[in-house]
Amino acid sequence: MAGTTNTLVEIARLLLQRKPQEAATIIENLYEKYQTELQLLFPREGSRRIAQAAVECSFALMREMCERENFSLFEEKRILAQGELMSTAMMLRHLQDMGKKAVIIPALDFMKTDKNAEPDLPYITSHLRPLVQTAPGDTEIYITEGYICLNAYNRVDNLRRGGSDYTASLAGVAIGAEEIQIWTDIDGLHNNDPRFVDKTAPVRRLHFDEASELAYFGAKILHPTCIQPAREHNIPVRLLDTLNPSLPGTFISLDTEKDVIKAVSAKDGIIAIKVKSNHKLVSWHFLRRVFEVFERYAVVVDMVTTSEVGISLTIDNDEKLPEIQRELEELGSISVERGLTIICVVGDMKSDNIGFEARIVEAIRTFPVRMISYGGSDYNMTVLIRESDKREVLVALSEHLFSTTKSS
């Protein structure tokens, strides 16, 4: 059912723009897609009728939304939830047709966020465990929706895009799982981006922090927030390939391979901001005031480098950039550069490993570099480059760092 969430996002966008007829057309197109899949998945009429009932319920809600005069962001979240609700209902019936003892545990019965939009783990734990324990004793498979939840005000909400991995990690922690598995369409996390570099290789073992850095800086296979709950409770995470389930994938834990550079990832859409002090503030006040600006607007800073007279940093969200610029101009002169990419190189970067940073710099010696950040973590080094150089930089790093990788 790939593409469903994107379609639901488009339907909600049109309804927010007060274009119900256009939204209704897309709804009917999506409905026809589901009818086709229902016919293929359920040759038996009885099973198809049961699954069809769940699908009809979701589409009835979407059609009803088109009749509303006041469509808000709250209704948008309800529409975005429908893809997960339909897919789990269809999967349950399909598994039961295969003879599996499967049950649904609705995510909206246990998955909840607090007033800061962060997962409420005590609530999740106290509500999920009884649901698992009261399921029939012969249950083999428990199904739940990823991504959707209730918020602190008991309204349907979500964990943002990619949040199904997050759901899996939170559920694994809540029930005290031995291992959390994320199944995708590739054999684990690779040592470079296969969209840009030929013949990448899977990384078999990663430390939690290494995986977190790669996910945050662009590795699409894993949601950045997925690792945090598992790490805090020391539950290993395994990334596996649905198309080749016998392959070992990537195993993520507190243990890792020492003295090795593991992988490279890239994060696009980066904005660099350089602030040169006007000397009206002493240096320690200057740095504090700069970071207070970003705190006020809840904008995350990815990279930071400093000098005696200024600071350079990067962000990946320009929504509040005009307001940030105005406040920073009170502290000094500023410059803003767009169209940049952060390259993240991950591995055992402890300070006693001599030469790793030199190998990285040597690999990109022919490319202009805007910033380098090293030493803030024992597991990564980040480099800021032009987005137009990304492909060539990724290839150069593979050729220089991974001797068995042949790149185009």
Side-chain angles (χ1 to χ4, degrees):
M1 306 313 298
T4 296
T5 300
N6 288 335
T7 303
L8 296 174
V9 168
E10 177 65 9
I11 291 167
R13 184 186 67 81
L14 290 169
L15 291 175
L16 284 169
Q17 294 176 349
R18 306 296 186 261
K19 297 178 180 179
Q21 291 183 337
E22 293 180 37
T25 298
I26 296 177
I27 289 170
E28 296 312 315
N29 291 337
L30 184 63
Y31 181 76
E32 290 304 317
K33 174 182 177 179
Y34 270 83
Q35 295 311 302
T36 299
E37 297 304 326
L38 285 165
Q39 292 289 334
L40 293 170
L41 192 59
F42 301 106
R44 291 170 49 197
E45 184 179 348
S47 294
R48 186 165 63 250
R49 187 168 57 250
I50 294 170
Q52 177 78 44
V55 170
E56 293 291 347
C57 183
S58 287
F59 277 97
L61 181 141
M62 286 187 270
R63 290 169 181 139
E64 188 266 331
M65 292 287 185
C66 292
E67 304 296 326
R68 294 193 178 190
E69 293 185 6
N70 297 314
F71 183 85
S72 70
L73 292 175
F74 294 117
E75 282 76 26
E76 177 191 34
K77 298 296 176 61
R78 292 184 67 192
I79 281 189
L80 297 185
Q82 299 312 306
E84 291 286 324
L85 294 171
M86 290 189 289
S87 289
T88 50
M90 292 166 66
M91 179 59 78
L92 175 67
R93 190 64 246 171
H94 178 57
L95 287 170
Q96 290 173 341
D97 282 355
M98 295 172 64
K100 301 295 183 182
K101 303 295 185 181
V103 299
I104 278 185
I105 299 179
L108 298 181
D109 287 353
F110 69 89
M111 188 62 64
K112 193 171 186 178
T113 55
D114 58 23
K115 291 183 179 180
N116 296 316
E118 294 294 333
D120 186 341
L121 192 54
Y123 178 97
I124 295 167
T125 301
S126 65
H127 284 71
L128 177 56
R129 285 186 176 180
L131 292 172
V132 173
Q133 292 164 355
T134 56
D138 60 351
T139 300
E140 298 172 297
I141 299 174
Y142 303 83
I143 306 170
T144 191
E145 299 86 7
Y147 168 69
I148 66 175
C149 63
L150 293 179
N151 61 25
Y153 310 99
N154 288 319
R155 289 181 175 270
V156 176
D157 211 321
N158 59 63
L159 298 172
R160 295 178 289 278
R161 298 298 295 270
S164 290
D165 293 355
Y166 204 7
T167 298
S169 186
L170 291 164
V173 168
I175 65 172
E178 294 178 7
E179 181 176 292
I180 296 163
Q181 295 181 353
I182 306 296
W183 289 81
T184 180
D185 58 357
I186 190 171
D187 178 23
L189 200 152
H190 279 223
N191 60 7
N192 210 322
D193 192 329
R195 295 171 300 175
F196 302 102
V197 179
D198 289 341
K199 298 181 181 177
T200 60
V203 182
R204 295 305 180 198
R205 291 169 59 200
L206 284 170
H207 190 279
F208 281 120
D209 291 344
E210 292 171 333
S212 182
E213 297 279 6
L214 288 170
Y216 183 77
F217 287 111
K220 301 299 183 185
I221 188 176
L222 189 64
H223 193 265
T225 54
C226 168
I227 293 299
Q228 182 182 352
R231 188 195 195 289
E232 289 178 357
H233 294 81
N234 193 20
I235 299 177
V237 176
R238 200 183 296 271
L239 308 181
L240 295 163
D241 185 356
T242 53
L243 304 179
N244 294 285
S246 63
L247 296 176
T250 299
F251 187 72
I252 304 168
S253 68
L254 286 174
D255 188 25
T256 187
E257 200 174 354
K258 303 295 184 182
D259 306 325
V260 176
I261 295 179
K262 303 289 185 58
V264 179
S265 63
K267 185 178 182 180
D268 296 329
I270 302 300
I271 303 161
I273 303 172
K274 185 177 293 186
V275 188
K276 187 176 180 181
S277 172
N278 57 18
H279 298 292
K280 292 181 181 178
L281 297 170
V282 291
S283 60
W284 55 87
H285 287 170
F286 171 70
L287 290 173
R288 174 175 59 82
R289 290 282 299 277
V290 168
F291 284 108
E292 283 177 345
V293 173
F294 293 92
E295 181 182 10
R296 275 194 291 277
Y297 293 102
V299 173
V300 175
V301 173
D302 290 328
M303 292 179 68
V304 180
T305 60
T306 63
S307 70
E308 183 183 1
V309 295
I311 181 171
S312 295
L313 48 81
T314 68
I315 60 175
D316 62 3
N317 183 346
D318 65 356
E319 185 178 350
K320 299 293 183 180
L321 186 57
E323 295 90 337
I324 290 172
Q325 283 185 252
R326 281 195 294 271
E327 292 202 32
L328 291 177
E329 284 168 353
E330 297 176 7
L331 307 179
S333 60
I334 73 167
S335 63
V336 176
E337 185 177 4
R338 296 174 179 267
L340 302 173
T341 291
I342 290 177
I343 301 293
C344 175
V345 183
V346 159
D348 182 11
M349 297 285 186
K350 291 184 173 63
S351 57
D352 55 356
N353 284 331
I354 298 172
F356 280 9
E357 70 282 1
R359 290 171 59 193
I360 296 167
V361 173
E362 171 66 18
I364 58 173
R365 66 188 184 282
T366 61
F367 301 94
V369 174
R370 297 296 189 268
M371 291 171 61
I372 294 177
S373 179
Y374 176 66
S377 162
D378 286 337
Y379 298 99
N380 85 313
M381 176 174 172
T382 51
V383 180
L384 187 66
I385 62 166
R386 297 180 306 199
E387 197 168 315
S388 58
D389 291 329
K390 180 177 78 169
R391 180 185 295 273
E392 293 178 80
V393 168
L394 290 176
V395 169
L397 285 166
S398 268
E399 291 175 344
H400 216 79
L401 302 178
F402 311 126
S403 59
T404 59
T405 301
K406 303 298 182 185
S407 307
S408 61

